[in-house]
């Protein structure tokens, strides 16, 4: 299993390409054949990514790189094709402000990315990558090292760049649709817009937002859409992905100090993962099911099975609750089960069982815990059965594009042994509250 994680041969699961990527497969093949470049794989960094603008960085790492790297941003700003496309999109926005009366959908439409515009940018980025060795060096090093698009890394730097852009563009569209137009998200009960999109108040807010964006003319080609998406998330109080960041300097600081000195060979497992369970009552901090799972984790920890417990769960049930499942479980571990803070890792962002597992793997990798050592997940029998099931694996493939774990064994009706998968580093802006 250890060979899975070597630099030259870690496995990327073979899954069907999302529909929006299939449109560009012929394009990808053509450019790869015409102008190949040497491409040395870079292993993703075993440390948390630097966060300059948390919500943006966690959803749209490529676009953050474009903005923060002066060399790349200067090249993008001076590219004639991108400049022309940006100008055309700005004109559409100005026209919408003049004609889209009493219609927020109409106002936001010029900020969404049509397939032909996405492809135009893909062609421009390909040309820039091929012709500019400095840009190519940055993409081949920094974008790979981030691990943010690990699913695409074996394709080569040119394809990695284009695939990352296509994902970001569709992620922007999704935010605009759900939090600007009121489209139904995958999980409407917990992820929906906070406004009546037909209200005068919301129309006024969207009009003001689009007017501000239209007034700034010197933006990079993607920045009008990015600004709109980020401001719509803020307007809807959907900052869940940014809460408690940077975690390594806050809620996980004590445990991180212990990781580097841990003697891993003394333990059967690297970590004990506890998926959260949110109450439906907004006045209840920790559901009884979540408390029982916490007790199981404490029992395993005190039995010496692993040096750390990782509690996972965000602000989920009921919608926009004031309580994060993982934070409340950590409080219970400290107060009721006498687990020291330096043994507790927290993931306060996961919103589903899929991302409980994915986010746990992300922390295992980013915090330098051994990826070739099995981890233990504990929960009630029904959830353990679900995690072990083909049903959850298929849900992971559908929602994430991969399965973030490999089940090894089920030692009891309340626990599973699993190995982590490096695919878990892949960003998912289609779920902007926990990308």
């Amino acid at each position: 299993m250890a060979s899975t994680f070597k630099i030259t041969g870690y496995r990327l699961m073979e899954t069907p390409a999302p529909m929006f990527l299939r449109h560009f497969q012929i394009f990808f093949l053509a450019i790869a054949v015409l102008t190949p470049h040497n491409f040395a794989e870079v292993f993703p960094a075993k440390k948390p990514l630097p966060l300059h603008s948390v919500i943006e960085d966690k959803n749209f790492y490529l676009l953050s790189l474009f903005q923060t790297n002066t060399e790349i941003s200067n090249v993008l700003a001076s590219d004639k094709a991108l400049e022309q496309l940006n100008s055309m999109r700005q004109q559409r926005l100005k026209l919408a402000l003049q004609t889209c009366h009493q219609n927020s959908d109409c106002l936001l439409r010029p900020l969404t990315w049509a397939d032909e515009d996405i492809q135009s940018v893909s062609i421009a980025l390909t040309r820039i990558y091929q012709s500019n060795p400095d840009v190519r060096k940055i993409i081949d090093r920094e974008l790979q090292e981030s691990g943010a698009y690990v699913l695409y890394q074996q394709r080569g730097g040119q394809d990695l760049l284009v695939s990352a852009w296509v994902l970001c563009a569709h992620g922007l569209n999704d935010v605009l649709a759900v939090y600007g137009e009121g489209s139904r998200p995958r999980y409407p009960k917990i992820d929906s817009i906070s406004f009546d999109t037909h209200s005068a108040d919301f129309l006024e807010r969207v009009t003001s937002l689009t007017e501000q964006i239209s007034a700034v003319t010197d933006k990079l080609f993607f920045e009008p859409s990015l600004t709109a998406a980020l401001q719509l998330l803020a307007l809807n109080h959907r900052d869940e992905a940014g809460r408690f960041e940077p975690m390594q300097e806050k809620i996980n600081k004590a445990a991180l100090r212990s990781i580097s000195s841990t003697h891993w060979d003394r333990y059967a497992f690297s970590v004990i993962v506890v998926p959260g369970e949110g109450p439906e009552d907004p006045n209840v901090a920790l559901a009884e099911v979540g408390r029982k799972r916490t007790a199981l984790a404490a029992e395993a920890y005190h039995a010496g099975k692993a040096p750390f417990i990782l509690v996972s769960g965000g602000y989920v049930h009921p919608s926009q609750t004031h309580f994060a499942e993982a934070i409340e479980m950590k409080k219970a571990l400290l107060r009721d089960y006498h687990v020291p803070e330096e043994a507790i890792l927290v993931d306060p962002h996961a919103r589903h069982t899929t991302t409980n597992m994915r986010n746990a793997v992300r922390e295992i990798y980013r915090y330098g815990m051994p990826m070739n050592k099995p981890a233990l997940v504990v929960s009630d029998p029904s959830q353990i059965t679900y995690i072990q099931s083909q049903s959850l694996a298929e849900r992971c493939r559908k929602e994430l594009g991969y399965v973030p774990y490999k089940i090894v064994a089920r030692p009891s009706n309340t626990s599973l042994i699993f190995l982590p998968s490096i695919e878990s580093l892949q960003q998912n802006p289609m779920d902007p509250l926990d990308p």
Side-chain angles (χ1 to χ4, degrees):
M1 185 66 189
S3 63
T4 301
F5 305 105
K6 288 181 180 178
I7 294 176
T8 57
Y10 59 75
R11 177 179 54 84
L12 297 184
M13 298 187 68
E14 293 295 329
T15 56
M19 184 60 69
F20 63 81
L21 288 179
R22 294 178 192 170
H23 295 310
F24 302 101
Q25 284 178 337
I26 295 175
F27 167 71
F28 290 159
L29 289 172
I31 57 178
V33 170
L34 288 172
T35 52
H37 286 290
N38 292 330
F39 181 73
E41 287 184 288
V42 177
F43 204 53
K46 287 193 173 183
K47 60 182 179 180
L49 294 179
L51 299 175
H52 307 284
S53 174
V54 178
I55 305 297
E56 177 184 347
D57 295 341
K58 292 182 71 172
N59 276 283
F60 307 107
Y61 185 84
L62 175 71
L63 306 187
S64 292
L65 178 62
F66 285 169
Q67 288 180 316
T68 57
N69 188 290
T70 304
E71 190 159 8
I72 292 182
S73 62
N74 287 340
V75 171
L76 296 178
S78 60
D79 185 83
K80 297 299 183 184
L82 292 177
E83 182 183 10
Q84 183 177 5
L85 176 63
N86 190 34
S87 177
M88 178 179 66
R89 288 170 57 82
Q90 288 279 19
Q91 289 300 317
R92 293 175 190 163
L93 182 59
K94 291 182 184 298
L95 180 62
L97 283 167
Q98 296 171 5
T99 60
C100 294
H101 304 297
Q102 308 300 314
N103 191 326
S104 58
D105 292 8
C106 180
L107 283 170
L108 292 170
R109 195 167 299 131
L111 295 167
T112 61
W113 285 91
D115 284 350
E116 56 268 26
D117 290 343
I118 295 174
Q119 187 169 5
S120 294
V121 173
S122 298
I123 293 169
L125 292 178
T126 298
R127 173 174 38 75
I128 291 169
Y129 179 91
Q130 293 171 354
S131 62
N132 192 311
D134 294 326
V135 170
R136 188 161 62 246
K137 182 178 179 181
I138 294 166
I139 295 300
D140 289 354
R141 184 184 67 250
E142 294 187 29
L143 198 59
Q144 283 197 88
E145 190 176 77
S146 75
Y149 307 102
V150 68
L151 289 182
Y152 314 141
Q153 286 195 193
Q154 288 188 335
R155 299 177 182 176
Q158 181 173 277
D159 208 347
L160 168 65
L161 172 61
V162 173
S163 297
W165 153 246
V166 172
L167 180 65
C168 285
H170 284 271
L172 291 171
N173 285 354
D174 191 64
V175 174
L176 292 171
V178 173
Y179 297 105
E181 300 172 11
S183 296
R184 182 183 175 90
R186 181 182 285 129
Y187 296 99
K189 187 176 179 181
I190 57 173
D191 293 343
S192 290
I193 192 171
S194 304
F195 292 89
D196 174 2
T197 57
H198 301 292
S199 69
D201 173 60
F202 186 71
L203 177 62
E204 182 180 345
R205 291 170 185 263
V206 171
T207 302
S208 176
L209 169 60
T210 50
E211 285 175 344
Q212 291 173 23
I213 292 172
S214 179
V216 181
T217 57
D218 59 347
K219 288 181 175 289
L220 295 175
F221 69 92
F222 59 86
E223 288 183 319
S225 297
L226 177 62
T227 299
L230 295 176
Q231 290 199 22
L232 284 170
L233 286 170
L235 182 64
N236 283 273
H237 308 291
R238 288 303 193 174
D239 65 338
E240 287 95 333
R243 295 175 190 175
F244 301 103
E245 293 286 8
M247 293 191 292
Q248 71 273 16
E249 297 175 14
K250 297 179 180 179
I251 54 176
N252 287 332
K253 185 176 181 178
L256 275 176
R257 286 199 297 260
S258 301
I259 287 177
S260 60
S261 59
T262 298
H263 297 280
W264 299 103
D265 57 346
R266 297 178 182 177
Y267 302 92
F269 309 107
S270 59
V271 65
I272 301 159
V273 178
V274 195
E277 173 79 12
E280 290 298 338
D281 187 336
N283 299 311
V284 174
L286 181 60
E288 188 59 30
V289 173
R291 184 175 297 279
K292 289 179 180 178
R293 294 176 186 176
T294 305
L296 288 170
E299 181 182 1
Y301 170 79
H302 288 303
K305 293 187 177 182
F308 300 97
I309 295 174
L310 194 159
V311 287
S312 174
Y315 294 86
V316 188
H317 295 283
S319 181
Q320 304 215 35
T321 175
H322 296 294
F323 299 108
E325 296 163 5
I327 298 299
E328 300 308 317
M329 288 192 290
K330 178 178 180 178
K331 291 177 183 177
L333 287 171
L334 292 169
R335 181 184 62 241
D336 302 330
Y337 301 105
H338 312 293
V339 177
E341 185 173 17
E342 58 267 25
I344 304 172
L345 290 163
V346 177
D347 157 39
H349 300 124
R351 305 177 69 76
H352 309 282
T353 306
T354 54
T355 48
N356 285 138
M357 300 299 289
R358 182 202 66 183
N359 292 1
V361 174
R362 287 179 175 180
E363 290 197 12
I364 290 171
Y365 187 89
R366 294 297 192 189
Y367 292 163
M369 304 169 80
M371 287 284 283
N372 59 354
K373 191 176 185 68
L376 188 71
V377 55
V378 299
S379 187
D380 51 88
S382 62
Q383 189 180 44
I384 289 297
T385 298
Y386 180 52
I387 294 173
Q388 190 180 23
S389 71
Q390 188 62 27
S391 175
L392 181 62
E394 289 302 321
R395 181 180 164 195
C396 286
R397 291 188 185 97
K398 178 181 178 181
E399 297 181 11
L400 305 177
Y402 57 90
V403 181
Y405 54 85
K406 179 181 179 181
I407 301 299
V408 175
R410 182 172 180 170
S412 73
N413 69 340
T414 58
S415 63
L416 280 173
I417 300 170
F418 72 94
L419 282 165
S421 297
I422 198 171
E423 291 94 335
S424 299
L425 300 181
Q426 174 81 10
Q427 282 193 350
N428 181 23
M430 310 308 288
D431 183 8
L433 310 189
D434 180 28

